[in-house]
Amino acid sequence: MAALRQELLGYRVQDQVATITLSSLANRNALSKGLLRELLAALHVAQNDDGVRAIVIGHEGPAFSSGGDLSELREDNNDEGLSLLLELLQLIWDLPKPVIAKVDGAARAGGIGIIATCDIAVASTTASFAFTETRIGSVPALISAPVMRRMNPREAQRLMLTGELFDARMAEQSGLLTNCVEPEELDSTVDQLVKYLTLGAPGAVAGAKKLLHMNRDTDFGADLGEMLPISRTFFGAREARAGMDAFLNKRKPYWQVDDGGNQ
C-alpha cells in the first residue's frame, strides 16, 4: 500500500475484498490519464495481494464516471490516454480475481466500458447511462469490445447511435448490468455477492472466469471436446480434492473464512 498513489481514488482491503473508490470529484470521475494510471496501479496491487479474493470498483459523488477527460482528449487525440484505457479494460478482463462494478450515479461513454468489462455489475435504480461519443463527433470504439459482449445487439445499436439517456432498468434488461436494485439495497447486494464469491476456491473462481471468456463460436461437439481436459484438470487439482473431502466430511474447505452462513 505504501507504493500506491491515492490522489484520485481510495483503496482499502477488508474481509478479503479490495474496494477501489473513484474520487476525482472535480471532473465527475472523468477518465483522465492520472485516474487511469492510479486505477491500473490499484488493480495490480489487488491482483498481487494473496489476501484479496474479490475487487469492487465504486465511486464517490454523483457520477461513476463521466467518460473520457475531454480537456485531454482534444489534445493530439490523447493517444496516451486511449492506450491507458485499453490497458485498463484488458487488465480487468484478464484479472484472475472477480471484479464487481458498483454504480450509484451517472455513467457515460468510457465509464460504461469499465462497467461492461467487470464480471458483475450492480447499480441503483437512480443510476443513468449514455453513450455520448456521437454527440461530440466521436465513436464508442474501444468500449464496444466489452459492451458488445454484454448488451443485446439491437439495444446497443440504438443507444450507441442515438446517444440517448437510459436508466438502470433498461441497462439491466439489455445485459449491461447484472442487476439493479433500490439505492438502499446497493451496499447489501454487493456485500452478499462478495460473500458468495469468497465461498469458491480461488483457483476455481479464476478458472471459471477464464472459461467464461473463451470463444464459443465453435461446433457443439468440438466445444465439448475442448472442455473435457479442463474438467479433468480442475477435478484432479488440490482445491477440488480438498473441497470434495470437506463436503463429504461436513466441514468448510480451507479457503473459507466466513461464518458459513451463505451457501
Side-chain angles (χ1 to χ4, degrees), residues 16-213:
Q16 299 183 297
V17 182
T19 299
I20 299 170
T21 305
L22 308 181
S23 57
S24 182
L25 300 181
N27 59 5
R28 294 170 59 86
N29 291 322
L31 301 177
S32 64
K33 288 179 281 189
L35 180 58
L36 289 169
R37 289 192 194 100
E38 290 192 25
L39 187 47
L40 281 162
L43 288 167
H44 280 298
V45 169
Q47 180 179 9
N48 295 322
D49 185 346
D50 291 338
V52 170
R53 296 286 314 282
I55 302 164
V56 175
I57 301 177
H59 64 99
E60 284 188 284
F64 177 83
S65 174
S66 58
D69 187 327
L70 299 185
S71 64
E72 291 183 350
L73 283 167
R74 67 182 178 181
E75 298 176 6
D76 301 322
N77 298 321
N78 191 30
D79 287 342
E80 183 184 0
L82 292 173
S83 295
L84 287 168
L85 178 59
L86 184 153
E87 184 180 352
L88 174 67
L89 299 179
Q90 189 72 64
L91 177 59
I92 294 172
W93 191 259
D94 292 339
L95 264 170
K97 300 175 182 181
V99 184
I100 300 174
K102 181 180 179 181
V103 186
D104 193 26
R108 304 289 185 265
I112 299 178
I114 294 175
I115 293 166
T117 309
C118 291
D119 303 291
I120 298 172
V122 184
S124 73
T125 53
T126 58
S128 66
F129 307 83
F131 296 100
T132 52
E133 289 88 349
T134 60
R135 300 288 179 94
I136 61 167
S138 187
V139 296
L142 272 180
I143 68 168
S144 68
V147 167
M148 296 308 296
R149 285 169 165 78
R150 305 296 193 199
M151 293 185 71
N152 174 294
R154 273 297 190 190
E155 289 181 301
Q157 183 169 349
R158 167 188 164 176
L159 295 168
M160 285 184 172
L161 289 173
T162 64
E164 67 189 278
L165 196 69
F166 58 105
D167 63 17
R169 296 292 185 195
M170 188 171 185
E172 179 186 42
Q173 176 187 335
S174 73
L176 176 62
L177 295 177
T178 308
N179 60 308
C180 67
V181 296
E182 295 302 321
E184 63 272 15
E185 298 172 355
L186 183 60
D187 288 341
S188 61
T189 299
V190 171
D191 290 345
Q192 187 65 64
L193 285 166
V194 166
K195 288 178 181 178
Y196 286 146
L197 289 169
T198 56
L199 289 177
V205 172
K209 176 171 177 174
K210 184 175 181 180
L211 189 73
L212 290 165
H213 288 173

